[in-house]
Structures are given as C-alpha cells and as structure tokens.
Amino acid sequence: MKIFILEDDSLQILRLKLILESIQPNLVIQTFKESDKLLQHITQPDENNIYLLDIELKNSRYGGFEASQRIREIDNLGTIIIWYFSIFHNIP
C-alpha cells in the first residue's frame, strides 16, 4: 500500500504521518506540497494507492478537489480522500 499526501503545511504533514504510522508501521508514505509534483509522480493505476488531499493549497496549481479529478484520469483504481487537514490544529 502506498499513501500519497498532498498538503502544503509541514506541521500537518508530520502529524498525519505520525497518525498513519501509529496505525500501520512501515507504510510507504510520500508527501507533496504542490499538486503538479504529485501528478507527475503517478505513473499507473493501482488499487493499493491511497491519496490524502488537502482541499485548500496556497501555492499550488490545483487544490485538492481539482487534483483529485486529474488523479482519477491517471489512476482509476486508487482511493482518493479529500480532507481539510486543519482539524489537527488542536491536537496537543
């Protein structure tokens, strides 16, 4: 299983990675701060791909919703989750 995180906030990336790794150690997690870089990285459909996309990206060509549409054109088997990651701001 590969997890691709599209998030522009480094703190949110760290928190999300910690949560995921606490649930399932040894995950393959790749992070991207720009949608174009994520899209360039996807090469083929894979049902084991999971995409966690922040809906709002400040310095990116596409936000999470638009990126999900482009991802689906390349990977019609992966799972896409669009999330507003700022909910983690209150976690100690």
Side-chain angles (χ1 to χ4, degrees), residues 28-44:
V28 176
I29 300 173
Q30 294 181 291
T31 63
F32 301 87
K33 290 187 174 191
E34 297 174 18
S35 56
D36 285 338
K37 292 187 180 182
L38 168 61
L39 293 169
Q40 291 170 1
H41 194 79
I42 304 167
T43 57
Q44 63 186 17

Side-chain angles (χ1 to χ4, degrees), residues 34-36 59-63 66 70:
E34 297 174 18
S35 56
D36 285 338
N59 297 315
S60 188
R61 184 174 176 185
Y62 306 113
E66 295 86 0
R70 306 261 188 276

Side-chain angles (χ1 to χ4, degrees), residues 51-56 64-69 80-85:
Y51 303 92
L52 299 176
L53 312 175
D54 184 3
I55 198 163
E56 245 184 281
F65 182 73
E66 295 86 0
S68 72
Q69 293 173 322
I80 298 174
I81 299 169
I82 301 173
W83 199 343
Y84 188 63
F85 290 117

Side-chain angles (χ1 to χ4, degrees):
M1 175 185 318
K2 287 188 210 172
I3 297 180
F4 300 90
I5 298 172
L6 178 60
E7 167 60 65
D8 58 350
D9 184 318
S10 297
L11 181 57
Q12 301 305 349
I13 291 170
L14 177 62
R15 287 177 171 168
L16 187 55
K17 284 178 72 173
L18 289 172
I19 290 168
L20 293 169
E21 289 169 348
S22 73
I23 296 168
Q24 177 69 46
N26 303 318
L27 284 174
V28 176
I29 300 173
Q30 294 181 291
T31 63
F32 301 87
K33 290 187 174 191
E34 297 174 18
S35 56
D36 285 338
K37 292 187 180 182
L38 168 61
L39 293 169
Q40 291 170 1
H41 194 79
I42 304 167
T43 57
Q44 63 186 17
D46 188 336
E47 65 185 14
N48 294 312
N49 288 345
I50 297 175
Y51 303 92
L52 299 176
L53 312 175
D54 184 3
I55 198 163
E56 245 184 281
L57 300 168
K58 292 178 184 77
N59 297 315
S60 188
R61 184 174 176 185
Y62 306 113
F65 182 73
E66 295 86 0
S68 72
Q69 293 173 322
R70 306 261 188 276
I71 291 167
R72 187 55 68 215
E73 293 171 5
I74 304 166
D75 184 353
N76 63 339
L77 300 176
T79 300
I80 298 174
I81 299 169
I82 301 173
W83 199 343
Y84 188 63
F85 290 117
S86 70
I87 63 170
F88 292 125
H89 281 294
N90 295 326
I91 293 179

